[in-house]
Amino acid sequence: MLNQLRIYMYYTKQFLFFIIVLVCSLNIQAQDYFSSIGEHQIAVNHKTNNSYSYNFSLATRHFIYNKRNYNIKIRQIDFKHFSTYNLNLNSSISFGFHYRNKDWFENTPNEVRLTQQYNYKNRKGVLRFGHRFRTEQRITKPKTIHRFRYRLALDFPLKGKQLDIGETYFVASNEVLYSIAKVDRPELDYRITTQFGFLATKNLKLQFGLEYRFEALNLEKDQKLHILTSAIIRI
């Protein structure tokens, strides 16, 4: 009972925090450094055996609010692939390829991204914690950016001790990102994400949530609110 109370207290604090963020975002929308973006994704996961699985996803982003104007405008299309190798029950390594198309929609170069990842997860009761370490090489025509990322995440079912079909769950994470490139000054970013999920069938999850991004914290004010929707299919 005490563990369940702690879980719901944590969930409530996260929810209230994001309500505060939303209210604050309404107050800063008149600033040039704030924008709101819709991000939608379809992902397909397949596990070939206990050691190897892979993932493909297709995502889009579009502006909702940018530079003091409300304007629905597609920004980019992303295609991603990840291959994951399980080292044991709690840890894995992954290698990813990411292609981002932007020049169809704005005067910005396309990007190829290579990703290396180590993930460690553990459980405490119904809580599942995840530690993710990533390195990325973001390759565009004018430059290559090396980015280092650490994310701490947790998730848990909102009812009972395990997630059953037709039930909902909650996911929260925070992430620090550090980017370096020869032609630019180093850049520090920070992201906070909360999402609600619904296990529609054994092979389909639906998620909706918000992500607030503080970008270039050490250089200039640049804040973005991402509205997230996703469908995760297991085959």
Side-chain angles (χ1 to χ4, degrees):
M1 178 63 98
L2 184 59
N3 286 336
Q4 286 291 101
L5 181 60
R6 288 173 178 170
I7 292 168
Y8 288 117
M9 286 179 64
Y10 181 89
Y11 155 71
T12 302
K13 288 178 182 178
Q14 289 289 329
F15 182 76
L16 290 176
F17 175 81
F18 247 83
I19 293 296
I20 293 170
V21 168
L22 280 176
V23 172
C24 292
S25 72
L26 294 177
N27 293 328
I28 65 174
Q29 283 183 353
Q31 306 297 327
D32 287 333
Y33 60 78
F34 176 81
S35 59
S36 181
I37 294 172
E39 183 171 341
H40 315 290
Q41 177 177 264
I42 296 177
V44 177
N45 301 336
H46 180 65
K47 184 177 180 180
T48 59
N49 53 51
N50 291 331
S51 299
Y52 174 69
S53 61
Y54 59 84
N55 164 281
F56 290 95
S57 65
L58 182 67
T60 65
R61 287 184 188 172
H62 61 85
F63 281 114
I64 299 173
Y65 176 91
N66 188 41
K67 296 183 179 179
R68 303 183 182 226
N69 294 307
Y70 290 94
N71 184 17
I72 304 298
K73 179 183 177 183
I74 296 177
R75 188 183 186 192
Q76 65 196 45
I77 294 176
D78 294 273
F79 173 80
K80 303 176 186 178
H81 165 71
F82 269 92
S83 288
T84 298
Y85 301 87
N86 294 322
L87 302 176
N88 51 50
L89 290 176
N90 296 321
S91 61
S92 63
I93 56 172
S94 301
F95 301 93
F97 173 84
H98 180 171
Y99 176 72
R100 172 169 292 171
N101 184 290
K102 300 188 77 170
D103 65 5
W104 285 0
F105 312 105
E106 56 185 45
N107 187 24
T108 306
N110 297 332
E111 177 183 327
V112 171
R113 186 180 305 180
L114 305 178
T115 303
Q116 305 81 42
Q117 174 179 298
Y118 172 76
N119 191 71
Y120 175 80
K121 59 185 179 182
N122 66 305
R123 289 184 179 272
K124 292 186 178 180
V126 297
L127 293 176
R128 183 173 65 173
F129 293 89
H131 301 269
R132 189 181 75 182
F133 301 87
R134 271 188 181 180
T135 58
E136 296 175 331
Q137 299 79 49
R138 303 181 60 182
I139 305 166
T140 62
K141 190 173 182 180
K143 61 184 176 181
T144 296
I145 300 172
H146 298 270
R147 187 158 71 174
F148 306 89
R149 307 171 59 166
Y150 168 71
R151 187 188 74 177
L152 172 63
L154 70 84
D155 65 83
F156 57 87
L158 294 180
K159 181 180 178 181
K161 295 184 178 180
Q162 65 181 23
L163 184 64
D164 297 315
I165 295 173
E167 294 184 348
T168 56
Y169 58 94
F170 180 72
V171 184
S173 68
N174 65 97
E175 184 174 23
V176 178
L177 306 89
Y178 185 71
S179 302
I180 57 175
K182 285 185 177 180
V183 296
D184 296 324
R185 293 175 60 188
E187 180 178 314
L188 180 66
D189 305 329
Y190 180 64
R191 301 175 183 178
I192 304 170
T193 307
T194 60
Q195 296 190 79
F196 292 97
F198 175 68
L199 183 61
T201 71
K202 182 177 69 173
N203 298 319
L204 174 63
K205 290 181 179 179
L206 303 175
Q207 291 187 176
F208 170 80
L210 300 171
E211 181 175 82
Y212 205 91
R213 297 186 176 188
F214 300 87
E215 299 188 350
L217 280 169
N218 57 322
L219 301 177
E220 59 185 357
K221 290 183 177 180
D222 189 4
Q223 299 177 19
K224 295 181 174 65
L225 176 65
H226 286 230
I227 301 171
L228 310 173
T229 61
S230 61
I232 305 168
I233 303 167
R234 186 175 66 177
I235 60 173

